[in-house]
């Protein structure tokens, strides 16, 4: 389960596991509360496909690659027309894309 709480203009994210352990970080993207099964994705690329893949429905995806977002988002790579993940955990999100294919960050 993930919970995001405002903190003076910066949102603090908390990932709480079923056994009570919690991990704090900073929120980016959607702010709110969610619930889902935590799963790992070991791909170094393909985050756009992961976010829009229906097989990740109701799952909180933890990316093992340290940098996510550096290729941006384009109109050719989504698996579907919407996000399916319940949450998305990354270590170092890139705020500015660096790919020539990127249409959005």
């Amino acid at each position: 389960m993930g919970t995001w709480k405002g903190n003076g203009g910066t949102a603090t994210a908390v990932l709480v596991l079923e056994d009570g352990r919690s991990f704090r970080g900073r929120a980016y993207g959607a702010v709110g509360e969610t619930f889902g099964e935590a799963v790992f994705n070991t791909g170094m690329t393909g985050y756009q496909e992961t976010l829009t893949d229906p097989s990740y429905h109701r799952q909180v995806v933890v990316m093992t690659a340290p940098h996510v977002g550096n290729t941006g988002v384009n109109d050719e790579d989504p698996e579907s027309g919407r996000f399916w993940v319940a949450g998305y955990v990354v270590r170092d999100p890139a705020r500015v894309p660096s790919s020539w294919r990127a249409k959005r960050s």
Side-chain angles (χ1 to χ4, degrees):
M1 178 177 175
T3 304
W4 293 267
K5 299 178 180 176
N7 182 10
T10 320
T12 299
V14 181
L15 175 65
V16 181
L17 301 181
E18 186 176 29
D19 68 3
R21 287 182 292 165
S22 64
F23 302 89
R24 297 189 184 291
R26 291 183 307 245
Y28 74 102
V31 175
E33 186 171 313
T34 189
F35 180 84
E37 173 188 24
V39 299
F40 293 90
N41 182 299
T42 60
M44 293 186 68
T45 62
Y47 59 86
Q48 180 176 346
E49 293 87 343
T50 301
L51 289 166
T52 58
D53 187 336
S55 70
Y56 286 107
H57 183 55
R58 295 187 179 166
Q59 294 179 334
V60 176
V61 178
V62 179
M63 296 298 290
T64 61
H67 304 288
V68 172
N70 53 336
T71 58
V73 176
N74 63 59
D75 297 329
E76 292 81 34
D77 292 340
E79 297 294 310
S80 70
R82 62 170 280 209
F83 287 171
W84 290 92
V85 299
Y88 203 62
V89 179
V90 301
R91 179 177 179 175
D92 188 16
R95 308 269 186 219
V96 178
S98 61
S99 172
W100 63 271
R101 295 182 67 218
K103 301 292 185 208
R104 293 172 298 288
S105 61

